[in-house]
Amino acid sequence: MMVAFGRKRVMMSQPKLFLTVGLPCTGKTTAARRIESEQRALRLTKDEWVKALYGDENPPSAQDVIEGRLIQIGLRALELGNNVAIDFGLWGRDERSALRQAAADVGATVEMRYFELTPAEQRERVDRRQAEAAHTTWPMSDDELAEWAASFEIPTSGELDGTEPIDDPPAGFATWDEWRTHRWPPLVS
């Protein structure tokens, strides 16, 4: 990207959206912190915002709104030429497709990073986090972990390396922007 400052032209790199994809306690936030430092990226970690606003509560109605607000901030930062790391799991392919399209719409590239562990390793990390840093998390039962794993859509290799075209929006939505507003509503209802 070429930007003019007076008579001088400066070559600026294209901003990048980093998407951390995975279930709880698989290493997404650790990676997002590393991306923040190494890539000079704005890190947007949903759990930090939910904890700051709701403490021990984790209201489902607020989750989607907070994610949506963080996405709005992230897209604006990309428009301004900054790298951004979105750190909240992105379990569904539609979520990832919507964000890939949004990044393309503002002239940014996307790097998706997928994190996975065996159920036993994940349980160990959940227990360790609960014991060592309970203020950063919520309790998670084995049933919840299994339910979440069953609903998680593993990214394809084409999604991960960016070679797979972005899907069309789901039926009933003309654009990914329209779907994004539906998925991440602007207000808690």
Side-chain angles (χ1 to χ4, degrees):
M1 172 186 325
M2 187 71 76
V3 177
F5 291 102
R7 292 185 188 156
K8 186 175 182 179
R9 290 181 172 261
V10 177
M11 190 66 172
M12 294 181 64
S13 62
Q14 191 174 21
K16 187 177 284 189
L17 175 62
F18 294 89
L19 301 177
T20 61
V21 179
L23 290 165
C25 293
T26 55
K28 297 178 309 296
T29 300
T30 299
R33 287 184 178 125
R34 193 168 32 257
I35 292 166
E36 174 184 40
S37 174
E38 293 172 359
Q39 303 294 324
R40 299 180 45 112
L42 173 64
R43 178 177 56 87
L44 300 170
T45 300
K46 177 190 66 178
D47 288 353
E48 292 174 354
W49 286 81
V50 174
K51 274 295 191 179
L53 294 169
Y54 295 98
D56 291 337
E57 299 298 314
N58 191 4
S61 62
Q63 296 277 332
D64 295 341
V65 173
I66 290 171
E67 285 182 10
R69 293 296 176 166
L70 294 176
I71 289 166
Q72 287 177 330
I73 292 166
L75 292 175
R76 181 64 181 137
L78 290 169
E79 286 177 327
L80 295 172
N82 299 292
N83 294 331
V84 174
I86 298 284
D87 173 27
F88 39 79
L90 303 168
W91 296 358
R93 182 179 173 101
D94 285 347
E95 294 172 322
R96 299 186 299 265
S97 293
L99 293 176
R100 288 173 63 203
Q101 184 63 59
D105 290 347
V106 297
T109 61
V110 174
E111 184 174 315
M112 193 179 305
R113 297 188 184 181
Y114 171 51
F115 302 87
E116 63 180 325
L117 295 172
T118 67
E121 290 170 315
Q122 184 187 25
R123 177 79 257 165
E124 178 187 325
R125 285 189 182 188
V126 167
D127 292 344
R128 187 174 347 126
R129 184 186 295 173
Q130 192 64 47
E132 296 173 1
H135 66 283
T136 68
T137 192
W138 297 269
M140 294 175 233
S141 71
D142 288 339
D143 288 343
E144 287 174 315
L145 294 175
E147 178 185 329
W148 297 335
S151 68
F152 184 82
E153 296 177 74
I154 296 171
T156 65
S157 59
E159 268 187 287
L160 292 170
D161 68 17
T163 59
E164 195 169 298
I166 299 169
D167 299 331
D168 290 333
F173 298 94
T175 65
W176 276 115
D177 191 46
E178 183 182 320
W179 183 88
R180 234 180 36 245
T181 302
H182 172 78
R183 167 63 182 87
W184 292 295
L187 302 170
V188 175
S189 49

